[in-house]
Amino acid sequence: MTLAEQFTALDDFLFSTRQYWQCTAFDYDELPWPTLEPILAALTDEQVAELDSDQDALYRFFTPYITGLENLAGLCTLVTAQVKRTEYPFWLSNGIKGRKFEQLQDFVAALGEQTKPVLEWCAGKGHLGRMLAFNQAPSVHSIELQQHLCDQGQHSAQQQGLAMRFSQADVLKDDVSNHFTQQQHAVALHACGALHQSFMQQACNAQTKQISLSPCCYHLFTDDVYIAMSERAKRSELKLRHRDLKLALQETVTAPSRVAKVRKTEVEWRLGFDAMRKAITGSTSYVSVPSVNKAVFSDSFKAFCAWAAEKKSLELPQDIDYEYFLQKGKIRKKVTERIELVRHVFRRAIEVWLVLDRALYLQQQGYQVTVKTFCEKQLTPRNILIQAHLPL
Ligand SMILES: C[S@@+](CC[C@H](N)C(=O)[O-])C[C@H]1O[C@@H](n2cnc3c(N)ncnc32)[C@H](O)[C@@H]1O
């Protein structure tokens, strides 16, 4: 299957199933799909959590109930980069945490041999750039917003005798187009949303020979309504919004049990307060309350409601039945989790759709493009690598 065919098949499937994922769980007091209600209601909270942490099990569980789902795993499967990690001396990996270092090792290995000067986009401290410089890249030019990260990166590179320089810039405001050249390998690892989109556009404008990127946080620095990059995706009937793009990032990372417990209380209390607010004001839609120090959730529900009411300029009557609304919150949490579970069936599909939009855009600009996974999901769920080169 070509990338365009894969995109079209995913696009059709996502469009025909949008009632299952293009929604906001907090908006509902009850499950919105009568056909799924019995199987969702029969799941224990533990079963919900188990299914949520195993994407293949999730596909299998819902396949009898959602038309076309049997093909989804195949449509989301990408080639795995065959990588052999290079070993690095200890001084190079100093200051890079374990999983991040393994992720970088796999990314560098998947990029293959370095023959061109590298432009490293949104580099942070330039860990990636240093590894590429160590791996024979003739030179590395790293662009980064935060001056102190540029300084630290430059200091490390100098100490380690690596051919690397930094430029501080806000790539969304400053004109950095002159940093892109033809004879270059432009690399962006986990540059968020508009940061990697602008990277791709500028690299294409400069006819940069080689482009490699692993996108992330597709919604950041962009308008709420998604603007497709490729002509093919522009013709799609899907209209994606931030809420949908965030779904692409919702792979479960198993939180330590204490964190998970606080999170459970937080969701129950927020939903309980929301039910209270609706009862008092007569409003029917969910209104979020700002995030707050987690210590609040080891106090009482009543105290949380007092805090939240103040934030929302809401006067709470004296005779509120807190226990009633707390129970409401607990029931709504169950509903919310089951709606999220159904939405999560589609999270990787949305991400692959977004990645293919980027890949097709690069093809449209004359590049030969491959899309692979470069590391295990456990190292990072944002493990997709788009590689593009201009044919000679
Ligand atoms: C998620 S980190 C990725 C860092 C590095 N590429 C990596 O994978 O380890 C994103 C980096 O982008 C930088 N950044 C954010 N907005 C930026 C902007 N407008 N211009 C340049 N860099 C930016 C941040 O400071 C941060 O260092």
Side-chain angles (χ1 to χ4, degrees):
M1 210 191 295
T2 64
L3 296 177
E5 286 165 348
Q6 188 177 359
F7 179 86
T8 299
L10 262 179
D11 189 49
D12 290 346
F13 177 75
L14 283 172
F15 186 70
S16 68
T17 54
R18 65 194 184 287
Q19 73 272 26
Y20 294 116
W21 55 268
Q22 215 159 27
C23 56
T24 305
F26 280 177
D27 283 345
Y28 296 93
D29 289 337
E30 289 171 13
L31 292 167
W33 314 285
T35 50
L36 298 183
E37 210 274 340
I39 55 157
L40 288 171
L43 288 173
T44 63
D45 289 353
E46 290 69 33
Q47 286 170 324
V48 170
E50 256 171 52
L51 280 173
D52 202 22
S53 62
D54 181 347
Q55 194 66 24
D56 288 328
L58 206 49
Y59 290 145
R60 279 196 301 277
F61 183 78
F62 286 106
T63 288
Y65 311 98
I66 297 177
T67 310
L69 186 55
E70 65 279 10
N71 300 323
L72 190 59
L75 287 178
C76 292
T77 301
L78 303 170
V79 177
T80 309
Q82 295 301 324
V83 294
K84 197 170 165 301
R85 283 184 190 159
T86 310
E87 291 307 321
Y88 293 84
F90 73 92
W91 45 263
L92 202 88
S93 61
N94 259 354
I96 315 179
K97 294 201 183 87
R99 272 206 289 188
K100 179 69 189 175
F101 184 61
E102 286 178 318
Q103 186 199 115
L104 286 165
Q105 276 179 303
D106 287 349
F107 189 80
V108 172
L111 295 188
E113 202 189 341
Q114 297 307 312
T115 54
K116 297 187 186 61
V118 168
L119 179 71
E120 185 192 17
W121 194 249
C122 297
K125 289 182 196 164
H127 295 317
L128 170 66
R130 283 190 299 117
M131 289 166 76
L132 291 171
F134 180 80
N135 247 2
Q136 312 306 326
S139 63
V140 177
H141 182 190
S142 301
I143 316 290
E144 166 56 43
L145 174 68
Q146 300 183 60
Q147 184 65 55
H148 72 105
L149 299 182
C150 295
D151 295 342
Q152 286 179 44
Q154 190 67 69
H155 179 74
S156 303
Q158 244 151 20
Q159 266 192 337
Q160 297 163 3
L162 298 168
M164 190 171 177
R165 70 188 168 98
F166 279 76
S167 293
Q168 185 281 329
D170 180 337
V171 299
L172 295 179
K173 290 208 185 111
D174 302 331
D175 182 1
V176 285
S177 54
N178 61 337
H179 294 324
F180 290 86
T181 62
Q182 246 185 344
Q183 296 303 327
Q184 198 176 49
H185 183 186
V187 180
L189 173 60
H190 297 163
C192 302
L195 299 177
H196 71 253
Q197 289 182 305
S198 130
F199 163 80
M200 292 167 65
Q201 280 150 350
Q202 297 195 56
C204 288
N205 288 344
Q207 294 278 288
T208 299
K209 282 256 161 56
Q210 211 182 335
I211 303 173
S212 301
L213 75 146
S214 179
C216 81
C217 302
Y218 302 88
H219 61 289
L220 284 185
F221 313 117
T222 63
D223 292 338
D224 186 35
V225 175
Y226 179 66
I227 301 171
M229 296 191 75
S230 66
E231 289 306 323
R232 175 61 193 81
K234 282 187 205 294
R235 294 198 306 273
S236 168
E237 287 188 90
L238 277 183
K239 297 286 165 271
L240 301 181
R241 293 178 36 200
H242 275 179
R243 174 194 62 195
D244 309 316
L245 304 196
K246 286 184 199 165
L247 180 54
L249 310 175
Q250 283 178 20
E251 292 275 349
T252 323
V253 180
T254 319
S257 56
R258 195 189 50 77
V259 176
K261 203 163 154 258
V262 175
R263 174 76 192 139
K264 178 171 174 284
T265 306
E266 174 170 5
V267 174
E268 287 173 356
W269 287 12
R270 284 180 180 279
L271 289 169
F273 173 75
D274 190 57
M276 184 184 292
R277 188 193 51 78
K278 282 177 176 164
I280 294 170
T281 62
S283 129
T284 52
S285 54
Y286 177 79
V287 173
S288 66
V289 174
S291 57
V292 61
N293 188 320
K294 302 291 174 224
V296 167
F297 299 103
S298 42
D299 198 341
S300 67
F301 178 57
K302 187 173 173 184
F304 170 75
C305 289
W307 171 83
E310 200 219 306
K311 290 284 162 211
K312 293 282 132 187
S313 311
L314 180 71
E315 202 164 314
L316 296 180
Q318 292 294 324
D319 57 350
I320 288 260
D321 183 347
Y322 286 97
E323 188 51 33
Y324 170 79
F325 286 108
L326 180 57
Q327 288 312 317
K328 276 227 150 207
K330 290 186 178 183
I331 294 166
R332 280 192 68 196
K333 176 174 171 286
K334 283 185 187 291
V335 172
T336 302
E337 281 178 349
R338 282 152 185 77
I339 294 175
E340 283 301 329
L341 187 71
V342 175
R343 295 184 76 228
H344 289 175
V345 171
F346 303 91
R347 56 192 163 190
R348 188 65 164 180
I350 301 210
E351 176 157 37
V352 176
W353 188 100
L354 290 164
V355 164
L356 290 175
D357 177 29
R358 283 147 181 75
L360 294 177
Y361 167 81
L362 291 168
Q363 277 188 345
Q364 211 176 290
Q365 310 298 318
Y367 286 82
Q368 287 182 357
V369 183
T370 59
V371 177
K372 295 176 186 159
T373 56
F374 68 90
C375 70
E376 294 290 334
K377 246 201 275 194
Q378 283 68 27
L379 291 183
T380 170
R382 304 283 75 71
N383 64 352
I384 303 179
L385 169 63
I386 306 173
Q387 284 176 292
H389 72 271
L390 278 179
L392 294 174

